[in-house]
PDB file of all heavy atoms in Angstrom:
ATOM      1  N   SER A 130      17.546  80.616 -31.097  1.00  0.00           N
ATOM      2  CA  SER A 130      17.797  79.714 -29.984  1.00  0.00           C
ATOM      3  C   SER A 130      19.089  80.094 -29.276  1.00  0.00           C
ATOM      4  O   SER A 130      20.027  80.599 -29.882  1.00  0.00           O
ATOM      5  CB  SER A 130      17.885  78.273 -30.486  1.00  0.00           C
ATOM      6  OG  SER A 130      18.925  78.160 -31.437  1.00  0.00           O
ATOM      7  N   LYS A 131      19.137  79.858 -27.981  1.00  0.00           N
ATOM      8  CA  LYS A 131      20.346  80.132 -27.215  1.00  0.00           C
ATOM      9  C   LYS A 131      21.438  79.141 -27.607  1.00  0.00           C
ATOM     10  O   LYS A 131      21.162  77.971 -27.868  1.00  0.00           O
ATOM     11  CB  LYS A 131      20.038  80.038 -25.722  1.00  0.00           C
ATOM     12  CG  LYS A 131      18.983  81.025 -25.269  1.00  0.00           C
ATOM     13  CD  LYS A 131      19.520  81.893 -24.187  1.00  0.00           C
ATOM     14  CE  LYS A 131      18.484  82.932 -23.772  1.00  0.00           C
ATOM     15  NZ  LYS A 131      18.964  83.770 -22.686  1.00  0.00           N
ATOM     16  N   VAL A 132      22.653  79.612 -27.650  1.00  0.00           N
ATOM     17  CA  VAL A 132      23.748  78.823 -28.194  1.00  0.00           C
ATOM     18  C   VAL A 132      24.554  78.170 -27.088  1.00  0.00           C
ATOM     19  O   VAL A 132      25.051  78.832 -26.188  1.00  0.00           O
ATOM     20  CB  VAL A 132      24.671  79.710 -29.056  1.00  0.00           C
ATOM     21  CG1 VAL A 132      25.848  78.900 -29.571  1.00  0.00           C
ATOM     22  CG2 VAL A 132      23.880  80.297 -30.218  1.00  0.00           C
ATOM     23  N   ARG A 133      24.648  76.845 -27.156  1.00  0.00           N
ATOM     24  CA  ARG A 133      25.468  76.091 -26.210  1.00  0.00           C
ATOM     25  C   ARG A 133      26.796  75.708 -26.853  1.00  0.00           C
ATOM     26  O   ARG A 133      27.837  75.677 -26.215  1.00  0.00           O
ATOM     27  CB  ARG A 133      24.709  74.835 -25.766  1.00  0.00           C
ATOM     28  CG  ARG A 133      25.485  73.977 -24.776  1.00  0.00           C
ATOM     29  CD  ARG A 133      24.772  72.677 -24.488  1.00  0.00           C
ATOM     30  NE  ARG A 133      25.478  71.929 -23.464  1.00  0.00           N
ATOM     31  CZ  ARG A 133      24.981  71.644 -22.293  1.00  0.00           C
ATOM     32  NH1 ARG A 133      23.776  72.049 -21.981  1.00  0.00           N
ATOM     33  NH2 ARG A 133      25.675  70.968 -21.415  1.00  0.00           N
ATOM     34  N   SER A 134      26.757  75.377 -28.131  1.00  0.00           N
ATOM     35  CA  SER A 134      27.965  75.029 -28.872  1.00  0.00           C
ATOM     36  C   SER A 134      27.777  75.497 -30.313  1.00  0.00           C
ATOM     37  O   SER A 134      26.706  75.954 -30.698  1.00  0.00           O
ATOM     38  CB  SER A 134      28.215  73.521 -28.809  1.00  0.00           C
ATOM     39  OG  SER A 134      27.141  72.833 -29.426  1.00  0.00           O
ATOM     40  N   GLY A 135      28.842  75.366 -31.110  1.00  0.00           N
ATOM     41  CA  GLY A 135      28.767  75.822 -32.486  1.00  0.00           C
ATOM     42  C   GLY A 135      29.455  77.167 -32.644  1.00  0.00           C
ATOM     43  O   GLY A 135      30.166  77.640 -31.759  1.00  0.00           O
ATOM     44  N   ARG A 136      29.234  77.817 -33.774  1.00  0.00           N
ATOM     45  CA  ARG A 136      29.949  79.032 -34.107  1.00  0.00           C
ATOM     46  C   ARG A 136      29.025  80.251 -34.013  1.00  0.00           C
ATOM     47  O   ARG A 136      27.864  80.198 -34.402  1.00  0.00           O
ATOM     48  CB  ARG A 136      30.534  78.935 -35.514  1.00  0.00           C
ATOM     49  CG  ARG A 136      31.403  77.703 -35.717  1.00  0.00           C
ATOM     50  CD  ARG A 136      31.861  77.582 -37.143  1.00  0.00           C
ATOM     51  NE  ARG A 136      33.033  78.432 -37.409  1.00  0.00           N
ATOM     52  CZ  ARG A 136      33.377  78.836 -38.622  1.00  0.00           C
ATOM     53  NH1 ARG A 136      32.658  78.519 -39.667  1.00  0.00           N
ATOM     54  NH2 ARG A 136      34.456  79.575 -38.773  1.00  0.00           N
ATOM     55  N   LEU A 137      29.597  81.355 -33.507  1.00  0.00           N
ATOM     56  CA  LEU A 137      28.884  82.627 -33.452  1.00  0.00           C
ATOM     57  C   LEU A 137      29.775  83.723 -34.012  1.00  0.00           C
ATOM     58  O   LEU A 137      30.998  83.699 -33.844  1.00  0.00           O
ATOM     59  CB  LEU A 137      28.507  82.989 -32.009  1.00  0.00           C
ATOM     60  CG  LEU A 137      27.216  82.417 -31.435  1.00  0.00           C
ATOM     61  CD1 LEU A 137      27.029  82.920 -30.010  1.00  0.00           C
ATOM     62  CD2 LEU A 137      26.016  82.817 -32.270  1.00  0.00           C
ATOM     63  N   ILE A 150      31.915  78.631 -29.796  1.00  0.00           N
ATOM     64  CA  ILE A 150      31.475  79.172 -28.517  1.00  0.00           C
ATOM     65  C   ILE A 150      31.992  78.362 -27.333  1.00  0.00           C
ATOM     66  O   ILE A 150      32.213  78.899 -26.238  1.00  0.00           O
ATOM     67  CB  ILE A 150      29.932  79.302 -28.479  1.00  0.00           C
ATOM     68  CG1 ILE A 150      29.515  80.348 -27.443  1.00  0.00           C
ATOM     69  CG2 ILE A 150      29.263  77.964 -28.254  1.00  0.00           C
ATOM     70  CD1 ILE A 150      29.971  81.748 -27.757  1.00  0.00           C
ATOM     71  N   LEU A 185      22.385  85.674 -25.934  1.00  0.00           N
ATOM     72  CA  LEU A 185      22.643  84.687 -26.987  1.00  0.00           C
ATOM     73  C   LEU A 185      23.052  83.328 -26.452  1.00  0.00           C
ATOM     74  O   LEU A 185      22.970  82.329 -27.171  1.00  0.00           O
ATOM     75  CB  LEU A 185      23.758  85.201 -27.911  1.00  0.00           C
ATOM     76  CG  LEU A 185      23.498  86.476 -28.704  1.00  0.00           C
ATOM     77  CD1 LEU A 185      24.773  86.905 -29.411  1.00  0.00           C
ATOM     78  CD2 LEU A 185      22.372  86.271 -29.709  1.00  0.00           C
ATOM     79  N   LEU A 186      23.518  83.290 -25.219  1.00  0.00           N
ATOM     80  CA  LEU A 186      24.175  82.090 -24.694  1.00  0.00           C
ATOM     81  C   LEU A 186      23.240  81.222 -23.862  1.00  0.00           C
ATOM     82  O   LEU A 186      22.316  81.721 -23.215  1.00  0.00           O
ATOM     83  CB  LEU A 186      25.385  82.507 -23.849  1.00  0.00           C
ATOM     84  CG  LEU A 186      26.427  83.357 -24.568  1.00  0.00           C
ATOM     85  CD1 LEU A 186      27.509  83.798 -23.588  1.00  0.00           C
ATOM     86  CD2 LEU A 186      27.029  82.616 -25.749  1.00  0.00           C
ATOM     87  N   ASP A 187      23.517  79.942 -23.872  1.00  0.00           N
ATOM     88  CA  ASP A 187      22.727  78.974 -23.106  1.00  0.00           C
ATOM     89  C   ASP A 187      23.013  79.157 -21.614  1.00  0.00           C
ATOM     90  O   ASP A 187      24.151  78.968 -21.157  1.00  0.00           O
ATOM     91  CB  ASP A 187      23.107  77.560 -23.542  1.00  0.00           C
ATOM     92  CG  ASP A 187      22.209  76.497 -22.931  1.00  0.00           C
ATOM     93  OD1 ASP A 187      21.511  76.807 -21.946  1.00  0.00           O
ATOM     94  OD2 ASP A 187      22.223  75.371 -23.438  1.00  0.00           O
ATOM     95  N   SER A 188      21.976  79.514 -20.854  1.00  0.00           N
ATOM     96  CA  SER A 188      22.143  79.773 -19.419  1.00  0.00           C
ATOM     97  C   SER A 188      22.436  78.507 -18.619  1.00  0.00           C
ATOM     98  O   SER A 188      22.753  78.587 -17.437  1.00  0.00           O
ATOM     99  CB  SER A 188      20.893  80.462 -18.861  1.00  0.00           C
ATOM    100  OG  SER A 188      19.745  79.656 -19.052  1.00  0.00           O
ATOM    101  N   VAL A 190      24.907  76.655 -19.417  1.00  0.00           N
ATOM    102  CA  VAL A 190      26.357  76.536 -19.524  1.00  0.00           C
ATOM    103  C   VAL A 190      27.054  77.825 -19.092  1.00  0.00           C
ATOM    104  O   VAL A 190      28.015  77.795 -18.330  1.00  0.00           O
ATOM    105  CB  VAL A 190      26.781  76.181 -20.968  1.00  0.00           C
ATOM    106  CG1 VAL A 190      28.302  76.128 -21.085  1.00  0.00           C
ATOM    107  CG2 VAL A 190      26.156  74.865 -21.397  1.00  0.00           C
ATOM    108  N   PHE A 191      26.552  78.949 -19.573  1.00  0.00           N
ATOM    109  CA  PHE A 191      27.159  80.238 -19.277  1.00  0.00           C
ATOM    110  C   PHE A 191      26.408  80.921 -18.144  1.00  0.00           C
ATOM    111  O   PHE A 191      25.181  81.018 -18.174  1.00  0.00           O
ATOM    112  CB  PHE A 191      27.172  81.126 -20.513  1.00  0.00           C
ATOM    113  CG  PHE A 191      28.123  80.655 -21.577  1.00  0.00           C
ATOM    114  CD1 PHE A 191      27.722  79.725 -22.525  1.00  0.00           C
ATOM    115  CD2 PHE A 191      29.431  81.113 -21.611  1.00  0.00           C
ATOM    116  CE1 PHE A 191      28.598  79.273 -23.503  1.00  0.00           C
ATOM    117  CE2 PHE A 191      30.320  80.673 -22.581  1.00  0.00           C
ATOM    118  CZ  PHE A 191      29.903  79.758 -23.532  1.00  0.00           C
TER     119      PHE A 191
END
Side-chain angles (χ1 to χ4, degrees):
S130 59
K131 300 237 177 178
V132 177
R133 180 187 185 116
S134 62
R136 306 175 82 202
L137 275 181
I150 203 64
L185 297 173
L186 303 175
D187 187 343
S188 59
V190 177
F191 290 87

